[in-house]
Amino acid sequence: MGIIKDNKQYNPNTVNLVFSLIVSLIFTLIVVLSTSHITTKLIDQSRKEFDEYCEDMSSGYAQSVTLKIESYFSVLDTYIKTGYANNHSDKEIQQYINKIKHINHPDFMNVSFVNTEGIGFRQNMTLSDVTDREYFHKIVDEKFDYFVSSPIRSHMNDEPVIILASAVKKEDGSLRGFYSASIKLTTLNKAVESFLFDKDEWIFILGEHGKFICHPDPDMILKTYSPEIHDSNLLSSREITKIGKGHYKTISTRGTPVTIFLQKVPPTNWTLGLSVPDTFFYAFKQKENRYRFLIVILGIATMLILTFLEFYVISLLHRHQHIETIYDSLTTLWTRKHFEIEAAKLLKHNPNNKFMFLECDIRQFRYTYQNYGEDASDAMIFYFSRRLNKLAMKYNAIIGRGFADHFYILLKIPSVRKAMAIFKHELTELNLKTKDYEIPFMSKYGISFLMPENSDRADTIQQLIGQASFAKTTIQENLLTQYAIYNSKLLNRIREEKFIESHMEDALKNGEFYVMYQPKISLADEKIVGAEALVRWQSPKLGKLMPDTFIPLFERNGFITKLDFYVYEQVFKFLENQIHNNQPIVPISVNMSRNHSKPEKFMHDFLEIFKRYSIPSNLIQVEIIERSVMDDKTLKEITEKLHKEGFTVAMDDFGSGESSLNMLTKIPIDVLKFDRSFLTASTKENGEMDKQSAEFIQILIEMSKVLNKSTIFEGVETAVQRDFLRSINCDEAQGYFYSKPLTAEDFVEFIKVHR
Ligand code: C2E
Ligand code: MG
Ligand code: MG
């Protein structure tokens, strides 16, 4: 792209993109931050829920242990309720409990009756001394009704056990002794393990002094634990018993992060610990996490879609509001409107400088559009815009694009002479480039200059554009002139054209247009074989006008189609009149302007007029100009339609445009009417034919014969030319050598003489 502002290049697309990127980035950041904030909150929340859940679990386990212990006591209760101890001797009690040992709890290793002296009468009929045991003192000295001992080693077999003791009272309330039951810790451990739901959880139970009652590792039973290294996360078993309730995070003996939930186990003063690996938490929340992940993904997707929409809307708004008014969407150059604004500023701020203005376009662009389509045409415009922009940058010019292939360039110049020298040089270079393009093309330029003496510079840009674009329209179709400079002579042309435009409609109504006939002669026998109808304008104000002065203008403003049908009607009227009056006649050819591009409509209007007159259609030939806007397909269609109605068709000015001989094989044209330039170019100053050109013409005539086309040459002015054409078997000739265009009356006389 290229606009020049403070000698810097701004690309509207880049600006647009950067802006959208920044907005998207901010948006993304907000979404990411808020999502992560929400996610952390949610995770905290679920961690809390998880902790509560584990708390409940551990309390459940503690209750199970309590129940277990209660179930042990209820068995001892049964022993007490028998009342046997109250009226029997210690020995008898021993015998008795031995007899009813089947009521024991399956976890019991042994049951004893202990008297107040501390002698234990075991169920297995052995005796023991328990005066050294804590539980003995609790019951006997401290008057506890029941007690659960700390883990100890059994006197009987040295197994780690706990002892449950339940006091037996006499009727007067004094102590008779107590029943005690010993439970192996391995048994208790097994029972506790059976509570666990998951193999990865584990439970430990600590006795009062931090000794393990239950632990998955049997070696730890009856031992305490204190960490080898000092770490605030690692607690000794004594510290744990002191905490008693709640939870804390630590590292398990297996090295994995765990949370330990602590509970008291009534009626004992034990502490139960449930160790839950942290991986449980993730597993526990996996489903929620999955949803959360989904929410995050959805959030990001929504964000992306929104960002895309925002970008799309911004670029749409830009294109329609901003770009459309400032930048042209295809080339990204300034639009004509914006170019005019910037140009006006430039002119105003540099009142003492000379300026050159150029309006340019691509030659035969319409031809490209019709033959190659929109994409190829756009590509060509784009390519051309790049080339021009490069030049604009080189010379510090400003550039804009107008309608289709039109471009505007304005630059400061040191002098007209220097500017023109540079222009010509750059044009030659540019031509080399455009000729090398995949569809070779040429450009043409209208040029206007502004000198410092022109005072009011604010609205002069419109004038400069008007002048340059007018100058450009004066460029003839031949490829040799590529530019035209506006001057005062052209100004008169403008005035004349303005006048013509304002009078053309009236002129048509007032019959100021009339037709002249230029005979066509058969070269074989010099007899008249036809004529071409050529329009003239007899203006009361401007005098007699030749088609060259008004037809290009009428082609531009579209009036030519009206004039064409007017001429056709004059011709039909003339022929009908001749036939009616029994006067001699020859076929007449009429010119079809390049503006007729719709075969259907042309045929409809043409036939409508034609049918009003009773003349045979073979008296009419239609000359279609080679450089018309018609593409090959339309040309073929109209030729076929004319043929169907009995008219013949000639290709006018053949050789002046770009039609190939190849195209002629496809289109059933009857006559090839060779352009006058063939003869002017091949006739030397002394009037002789140039050998090489003559040979070229000969080949063309021969080829036309092969293609079965009749041939006629325009602009035959000399006998040499006539003789040459005859020698190469050209069929007909038209030109001043035989006759200039004649008025209707003179033409009738001409027929009479030459038929
Ligand atoms: P054209 O159709 O090629 O017509 C031939 C032109 O060559 C005529 O110019 C004719 O006067 C001129 N001419 C004929 N013989 C000679 C010669 O020996 N020497 C020279 N120097 N010129 C010769 P004219 O009448 O000025 O018309 C110019 C063009 O205007 C025509 O070229 C045609 O394209 C257009 N034109 C004329 N009448 C009409 C019309 O009724 N409708 C349309 N659409 N175009 C018309
Ligand atoms: Mg013609
Ligand atoms: Mg012609």
Side-chain angles (χ1 to χ4, degrees):
M1 105 101 228
I3 52 169
I4 294 150
K5 207 174 178 186
D6 307 334
N7 288 333
K8 271 189 198 149
Q9 296 279 308
Y10 295 99
N11 188 328
N13 287 341
T14 315
V15 172
N16 202 4
L17 195 75
V18 168
F19 178 71
S20 279
L21 273 179
I22 291 173
V23 173
S24 323
L25 214 73
I26 294 172
F27 193 46
T28 313
L29 220 69
I30 292 172
V31 169
V32 166
L33 285 179
S34 50
T35 321
S36 80
H37 179 75
I38 292 170
T39 316
T40 328
K41 278 253 146 134
L42 285 171
I43 287 175
D44 284 355
Q45 174 65 27
S46 46
R47 178 75 222 194
K48 218 174 122 198
E49 281 170 22
F50 179 71
D51 288 348
E52 280 168 11
Y53 167 80
C54 292
E55 208 96 47
D56 289 350
M57 287 276 286
S58 56
S59 130
Y61 290 141
Q63 272 171 33
S64 304
V65 177
T66 303
L67 282 175
K68 194 94 202 167
I69 289 167
E70 278 172 3
S71 71
Y72 296 156
F73 274 114
S74 71
V75 174
L76 291 184
D77 243 22
T78 315
Y79 280 99
I80 295 167
K81 277 183 185 147
T82 58
Y84 199 84
N86 280 335
N87 34 32
H88 290 89
S89 69
D90 296 347
K91 220 43 197 153
E92 282 168 338
I93 298 170
Q94 185 177 31
Q95 270 164 0
Y96 179 69
I97 59 174
N98 173 269
K99 215 184 282 164
I100 59 163
K101 61 181 173 218
H102 58 271
I103 68 165
N104 279 3
H105 192 284
D107 289 357
F108 289 178
M109 190 172 77
N110 186 41
V111 173
S112 305
F113 174 75
V114 183
N115 65 18
T116 46
E117 275 81 52
I119 313 238
F121 296 86
R122 291 195 188 110
Q123 206 167 24
N124 61 4
M125 299 309 287
T126 58
L127 294 178
S128 63
D129 177 4
V130 299
T131 46
D132 61 331
R133 296 297 201 193
E134 181 196 20
Y135 59 85
F136 169 75
H137 296 288
K138 289 281 176 193
I139 302 284
V140 175
D141 303 331
E142 293 178 35
K143 309 276 186 257
F144 276 49
D145 285 339
Y146 57 90
F147 187 72
V148 182
S149 82
S150 296
I152 46 173
R153 287 199 181 272
S154 152
H155 280 297
M156 201 167 74
N157 52 11
D158 208 34
E159 282 258 11
V161 290
I162 49 159
I163 311 283
L164 278 72
S166 203
V168 182
K169 301 270 175 71
K170 294 188 206 152
E171 268 163 22
D172 60 1
S174 61
L175 191 70
R176 166 72 183 91
F178 61 88
Y179 286 109
S180 73
S182 60
I183 293 134
K184 276 199 216 168
L185 290 188
T186 46
T187 313
L188 187 67
N189 245 321
K190 264 193 205 121
V192 167
E193 256 170 44
S194 72
F195 300 154
L196 289 176
F197 289 136
D198 199 290
K199 64 177 173 23
D200 285 325
E201 307 175 314
W202 56 272
I203 288 179
F204 61 84
I205 298 174
L206 287 170
E208 199 176 7
H209 307 294
K211 275 188 194 163
F212 281 105
I213 298 172
C214 292
H215 194 282
D217 177 5
D219 289 346
M220 290 300 289
I221 304 289
L222 280 187
K223 286 182 188 150
T224 55
Y225 166 76
S226 42
E228 282 154 27
I229 43 161
H230 181 76
D231 182 333
S232 60
N233 278 334
L234 298 177
L235 300 180
S236 70
S237 48
R238 273 175 193 281
E239 285 168 320
I240 294 172
T241 23
K242 266 182 211 149
I243 296 173
K245 199 167 159 60
H247 64 265
Y248 70 96
K249 279 175 179 291
T250 184
I251 304 291
S252 76
T253 42
R254 291 173 212 169
T256 52
V258 292
T259 305
I260 300 200
F261 296 85
L262 301 176
Q263 296 289 342
K264 282 283 171 206
V265 187
T268 67
N269 42 28
W270 301 347
T271 306
L272 177 142
L274 170 69
S275 159
V276 182
D278 280 356
T279 48
F280 266 44
F281 171 63
Y282 308 118
F284 175 78
K285 285 289 157 192
Q286 205 177 36
K287 216 164 110 192
E288 283 88 338
N289 282 343
R290 220 175 289 146
Y291 281 129
R292 218 158 288 144
F293 180 70
L294 213 72
I295 289 167
V296 171
I297 290 287
L298 274 178
I300 289 171
T302 319
M303 182 203 76
L304 284 178
I305 291 167
L306 282 176
T307 312
F308 169 76
L309 282 178
E310 163 224 17
F311 179 73
Y312 183 73
V313 167
I314 286 178
S315 27
L316 217 69
L317 285 176
H318 257 233
R319 199 166 297 160
H320 284 294
Q321 292 175 358
H322 190 61
I323 302 282
E324 278 283 287
T325 50
I326 298 183
Y327 302 107
D328 162 55
S329 52
L330 173 62
T331 62
T332 67
L333 295 180
W334 281 341
T335 58
R336 171 171 171 162
K337 211 173 147 199
H338 193 71
F339 171 82
E340 283 180 18
I341 295 170
E342 294 293 329
K345 275 192 223 160
L346 191 66
L347 294 180
K348 206 175 161 192
H349 295 144
N350 297 278
N352 300 319
N353 284 97
K354 292 178 184 143
F355 280 94
M356 179 186 197
F357 174 80
L358 298 108
E359 187 198 320
C360 59
D361 65 46
I362 296 169
R363 270 183 192 276
Q364 309 280 335
F365 182 69
R366 279 201 280 190
Y367 178 81
T368 310
Y369 188 83
Q370 280 160 1
N371 288 280
Y372 296 94
E374 197 172 328
D375 288 350
S377 312
D378 279 357
M380 185 185 271
I381 289 177
F382 184 77
Y383 174 80
F384 190 44
S385 76
R386 287 314 79 170
R387 293 270 146 226
L388 291 177
N389 188 47
K390 233 180 171 172
L391 287 172
M393 280 162 69
K394 186 170 170 188
Y395 294 102
N396 221 1
I398 61 169
I399 179 169
R401 180 192 170 206
F403 174 71
D405 55 333
H406 290 249
F407 293 93
Y408 310 99
I409 298 170
L410 179 71
L411 69 157
K412 277 188 219 167
I413 52 162
S415 74
V416 171
R417 202 176 47 80
K418 271 192 191 148
M420 282 313 293
I422 293 172
F423 169 75
K424 282 178 200 162
H425 167 73
E426 292 293 359
L427 186 59
T428 326
E429 297 286 303
L430 186 67
N431 284 342
L432 293 178
K433 297 266 164 35
T434 60
K435 273 182 186 161
D436 264 1
Y437 184 66
E438 49 196 286
I439 307 166
F441 68 93
M442 292 281 271
S443 44
K444 61 180 197 290
Y445 302 78
I447 302 171
S448 52
F449 290 100
L450 182 69
M451 297 299 142
E453 50 271 20
N454 291 41
S455 55
D456 184 14
R457 289 197 157 203
D459 54 35
T460 36
I461 184 64
Q462 270 80 11
Q463 276 176 31
L464 283 176
I465 294 177
Q467 291 168 352
S469 98
F470 178 75
K472 189 156 63 74
T473 59
T474 65
I475 299 173
Q476 296 301 309
E477 283 303 335
N478 77 65
L479 297 179
L480 291 175
T481 10
Q482 252 195 294
Y483 62 90
I485 304 169
Y486 176 84
N487 59 30
S488 50
K489 254 191 249 157
L490 282 175
L491 187 67
N492 291 335
R493 281 282 300 277
I494 296 182
R495 294 207 181 105
E496 194 181 87
E497 286 204 341
K498 283 241 162 74
F499 181 85
I500 291 174
E501 263 190 322
S502 57
H503 286 79
M504 61 191 187
E505 295 279 356
D506 287 341
L508 196 65
K509 274 188 220 131
N510 301 340
E512 290 172 25
F513 292 102
Y514 65 98
V515 179
M516 293 191 80
Y517 298 89
Q518 186 176 33
K520 293 179 187 173
I521 306 295
S522 155
L523 282 166
D525 54 14
E526 302 261 308
K527 292 235 157 70
I528 182 166
V529 284
E532 178 177 5
L534 295 159
V535 71
R536 299 289 178 265
W537 181 1
Q538 184 62 49
S539 159
K541 293 215 174 80
L542 297 171
K544 185 177 164 181
L545 297 175
M546 295 301 278
D548 286 351
T549 51
F550 56 87
I551 286 193
L553 172 66
F554 290 174
E555 280 174 350
R556 271 183 273 132
N557 66 21
F559 186 66
I560 190 69
T561 47
K562 266 193 193 171
L563 183 63
D564 272 352
F565 288 117
Y566 176 81
V567 171
Y568 303 157
E569 181 143 26
Q570 301 307 306
V571 172
F572 300 154
K573 214 182 264 173
F574 167 75
L575 280 176
E576 193 188 54
N577 198 37
Q578 290 292 102
I579 295 168
H580 189 74
N581 295 327
N582 259 333
Q583 291 286 313
I585 42 159
V586 284
I588 308 284
S589 60
V590 292
N591 288 290
M592 176 183 176
S593 99
R594 65 181 78 213
N595 293 45
H596 303 283
S597 56
K598 296 209 166 59
E600 300 282 329
K601 172 138 181 40
F602 176 79
M603 271 324 281
H604 174 269
D605 297 350
F606 188 82
L607 285 177
E608 198 183 61
I609 303 169
F610 181 75
K611 298 235 164 94
R612 283 189 227 143
Y613 301 90
S614 22
I615 41 168
S617 54
N618 63 7
L619 278 184
I620 301 296
Q621 183 170 79
V622 178
E623 289 187 10
I624 301 175
I625 199 151
E626 191 196 18
R627 287 170 279 107
S628 74
V629 292
M630 274 178 242
D631 53 65
D632 295 356
K633 200 177 137 263
T634 320
L635 187 60
K636 186 167 183 237
E637 205 180 324
I638 197 138
T639 307
E640 279 165 357
K641 282 191 159 51
L642 285 164
H643 277 171
K644 213 175 129 224
E645 299 294 335
F647 305 104
T648 58
V649 181
M651 176 163 283
D652 202 358
D653 297 348
F654 179 67
S656 66
E658 6 215 313
S659 60
S660 62
L661 286 165
N662 180 37
M663 180 268 285
L664 290 176
T665 59
K666 293 184 207 127
I667 296 160
I669 294 273
D670 305 286
V671 180
L672 291 183
K673 201 170 180 190
F674 286 79
D675 194 63
R676 201 167 62 223
S677 59
F678 274 106
L679 289 181
T680 38
S682 56
T683 303
K684 292 194 278 192
E685 268 182 25
N686 63 7
E688 294 294 311
M689 297 298 292
D690 172 70
K691 202 167 158 267
Q692 215 175 346
S693 313
E695 272 169 12
F696 178 60
I697 294 175
Q698 186 173 2
I699 293 168
L700 285 178
I701 297 287
E702 277 164 14
M703 281 169 82
S704 310
K705 292 254 151 26
V706 174
L707 292 171
N708 235 346
K709 313 284 181 200
S710 169
T711 48
I712 179 168
F713 259 83
E714 286 179 347
V716 181
E717 291 182 347
T718 65
V720 179
Q721 291 170 340
R722 190 262 327 259
D723 292 344
F724 162 69
L725 291 173
R726 187 182 278 158
S727 75
I728 59 168
N729 287 328
C730 173
D731 299 315
E732 294 165 21
Q734 178 186 338
Y736 297 167
F737 178 73
Y738 291 109
S739 169
K740 291 206 163 183
L742 302 167
T743 58
E745 292 106 66
D746 290 346
F747 175 53
V748 174
E749 287 312 306
F750 188 94
I751 305 175
K752 281 179 188 160
V753 177
H754 291 89
R755 64 180 169 158

